[in-house]
Amino acid sequence: MAFDFLVPVADKVLAHCELLPPQALGKKIYKHTKRDGLPVLALANIAIIGVNESRNAFEKKPEQLDVSAIRLEFYKLMMGNWNSSIVDLGDINAGQEVSDTYFVVKEIIAELLEENIIPIVIGPTQDITYPCYRAFDGLKKMINLVNIDSRFDFGDHEELISSHSYMSKIITDKPNNLFNFSNIGYQSYFNSQEEIDLMERLFFDAYRLGEVTSNIALIEPLLRNANIVSLDARAIRASEVGMLDNFSPNGFTGREICAIARYAGISDKVAVFGLFESENSRQSFQLMAQIIWYFIEGYNFRIQEVPYINKEDFTKYIVPTDSQELVFYKSNLTERWWVEVPSILDSYNKSEIAALLPCTKDDYVEATNQDIPERWFKAFKKGLN
């Protein structure tokens, strides 16, 4: 059983929990300990897992990421008004080969997915996204992956998998379960024109850092449709994490990245949340802990809304354009928007009905001005292929 490879939470973290006030998360989380073993998963909603594997780092890591220090900062935070049950399963240590570590990560996440438990995976390198993606193989469904990253991480297709090239492996590897890939916060000077062109050719979504920071609500529909969210901490500006060497002067602020994490948590489709590429500094540990807190905060505000099922809770808008008749739905409860994509069939219903693409009110307004939203066009084209 893959859970046998999990290492208990460090004694120093458990000792620190004894000093925390009763309202702190450290007092509320069920932990994997040497004395008591693994916590019971039956009622758990969220599971925290550390992965101590960095051999495929593009820039070699001078020291191991101190996941226990992130835990310490997270445990200090106060529990929100939450109904969710959180377990900390401890860490996965590096196997004899990197592929061994990947296998254990994949198997553990697959088991958690079967139990409807959302893993929050903390690791030193973003290539760990690959086994997270492979964990969905047994579910026989197409996957939407969203990366919050300054780079696309395609790399050279001939290069061995690394933290800068794992996306090429995800795109080309069989079985190919990837339906859509979206990047939030890319910075043009870190990406070759060939990579940018590839994103266009494959009808993937990419939003530059400036686009997102000028209107952060723009990316909420992307996250609403995501199954996996993988966050590269280097998308955050260096000053926010303690001026660490591998971080850039430009990037998201702490407030922006926490807002994005909350959107990811609110999405009722997000089943895996990964937090990678952090480095060792007190400020970085604190920010990573707060990102996790905001994801869980979002999770506790989840509302499952399906316009085809709860018809009375939605208003339907039909917008004729020169080339297409677009059908929009607006939730009367949350004021979120969706648009039908007739080239893709809906997964909620076996009948021949169009899938729904999360969108914004601005997309609806654009359509009324005879301007078809770009995300709709890409999804429509992808459904025809």
Side-chain angles (χ1 to χ4, degrees):
M1 184 176 173
F3 284 91
D4 294 340
F5 291 95
L6 286 163
V7 178
V9 175
D11 288 340
K12 69 175 182 180
V13 178
L14 299 175
H16 184 267
C17 286
E18 297 301 316
L19 306 173
L20 295 173
Q23 303 90 342
L25 281 166
K27 294 285 194 182
K28 305 287 187 180
I29 293 173
Y30 301 96
K31 294 171 276 293
H32 179 191
T33 67
K34 287 177 189 171
R35 189 184 69 185
D36 300 328
L38 284 162
V40 176
L41 297 180
L43 300 176
N45 306 110
I46 292 168
I48 296 167
I49 305 168
V51 181
N52 296 315
E53 175 62 81
S54 60
R55 283 173 286 183
N56 275 343
F58 184 79
E59 302 102 352
K60 295 307 172 191
K61 302 289 183 181
E63 57 183 1
Q64 187 172 317
L65 176 66
D66 191 349
V67 178
S68 289
I70 297 175
R71 277 192 176 92
L72 280 171
E73 295 300 333
F74 179 62
Y75 285 1
K76 287 180 188 176
L77 303 178
M78 297 297 152
M79 182 117 171
N81 186 20
W82 303 339
N83 295 317
S84 54
S85 176
I86 307 165
V87 295
D88 190 336
L89 298 181
D91 297 334
I92 300 167
N93 279 342
Q96 188 168 352
E97 303 289 338
V98 178
S99 58
D100 298 327
T101 314
Y102 285 177
F103 177 79
V104 174
V105 172
K106 173 193 165 186
E107 291 297 306
I108 288 175
I109 290 178
E111 289 191 42
L112 292 172
L113 290 174
E114 281 188 24
E115 299 293 331
N116 289 319
I117 299 169
I118 298 175
I120 297 177
V121 184
I122 307 166
T125 56
Q126 203 178 13
D127 56 283
I128 297 163
T129 304
Y130 174 72
C132 293
Y133 161 73
R134 287 270 72 106
F136 286 81
D137 287 352
L139 298 181
K140 303 284 192 295
K141 62 183 283 190
M142 298 302 285
I143 299 304
N144 294 324
L145 168 62
V146 172
N147 280 4
I148 302 148
D149 201 337
S150 59
R151 294 175 168 85
F152 296 136
D153 293 332
F154 291 130
D156 186 336
H157 69 283
E158 309 222 334
E159 182 185 1
L160 291 172
I161 184 170
S162 80
S163 55
H164 274 187
S165 66
Y166 66 93
M167 276 307 306
S168 294
K169 192 164 177 65
I170 286 177
I171 290 170
T172 58
D173 239 27
K174 305 290 184 188
N176 193 331
N177 304 328
L178 185 68
F179 179 74
N180 192 42
F181 168 59
S182 304
N183 172 282
I184 294 172
Y186 82 94
Q187 297 174 40
S188 297
Y189 38 72
F190 288 142
N191 298 278
S192 68
Q193 190 57 48
E194 288 81 2
E195 288 179 288
I196 295 170
D197 292 343
L198 180 63
M199 289 290 286
E200 282 292 319
R201 262 199 325 275
L202 296 174
F203 305 112
F204 289 158
D205 301 306
Y207 288 82
R208 290 177 66 171
L209 175 67
E211 282 182 275
V212 181
T213 55
S214 62
N215 179 15
I216 207 148
L218 183 74
I219 51 90
E220 185 275 331
L222 287 182
L223 293 164
R224 203 187 330 155
N225 217 28
N227 303 105
I228 307 172
V229 176
S230 175
L231 194 164
D232 185 328
R234 292 170 302 180
I236 303 165
R237 65 170 66 161
S239 59
E240 304 290 292
V241 291
M243 302 304 290
L244 292 165
D245 288 345
N246 285 325
F247 285 68
S248 168
N250 284 309
F252 291 112
T253 65
R255 181 181 296 178
E256 289 161 352
I257 204 69
C258 287
I260 292 169
R262 191 175 187 275
Y263 278 142
I266 288 173
S267 165
D268 62 5
K269 284 190 177 180
V270 171
V272 178
F273 183 66
L275 188 55
F276 307 111
E277 302 290 347
S278 178
E279 292 185 21
N280 296 331
S281 81
R282 175 77 185 281
Q283 197 170 327
S284 176
F285 298 148
Q286 288 176 325
L287 183 54
M288 297 309 115
Q290 290 167 20
I291 289 168
I292 296 168
W293 190 96
Y294 271 100
F295 176 81
I296 298 172
E297 168 84 346
Y299 172 84
N300 282 272
F301 283 94
R302 284 189 175 188
I303 297 173
Q304 191 162 29
E305 294 185 301
V306 185
Y308 290 149
I309 296 174
N310 316 106
K311 292 182 180 178
E312 66 281 359
D313 296 330
F314 292 83
T315 304
K316 182 177 179 180
Y317 299 86
I318 299 173
V319 181
T321 70
D322 294 338
S323 57
Q324 292 283 342
E325 184 178 84
L326 299 187
V327 180
F328 288 85
Y329 294 88
K330 177 193 172 187
S331 165
N332 300 328
L333 181 63
T334 62
E335 299 193 349
R336 296 190 293 186
W337 289 77
W338 288 260
V339 60
E340 286 186 359
V341 184
S343 64
I344 307 169
L345 297 182
D346 189 78
S347 60
Y348 285 102
N349 196 315
K350 291 181 181 175
S351 61
E352 300 284 307
I353 57 175
L356 292 169
L357 180 72
C359 64
T360 64
K361 182 181 180 181
D362 288 346
D363 292 324
Y364 165 71
V365 173
E366 278 182 35
T368 61
N369 293 323
Q370 300 297 300
D371 189 2
I372 293 177
E374 186 179 359
R375 282 194 64 238
W376 182 92
F377 181 76
K378 286 181 178 179
F380 182 78
K381 284 288 202 181
K382 201 175 296 172
L384 295 176
N385 288 344

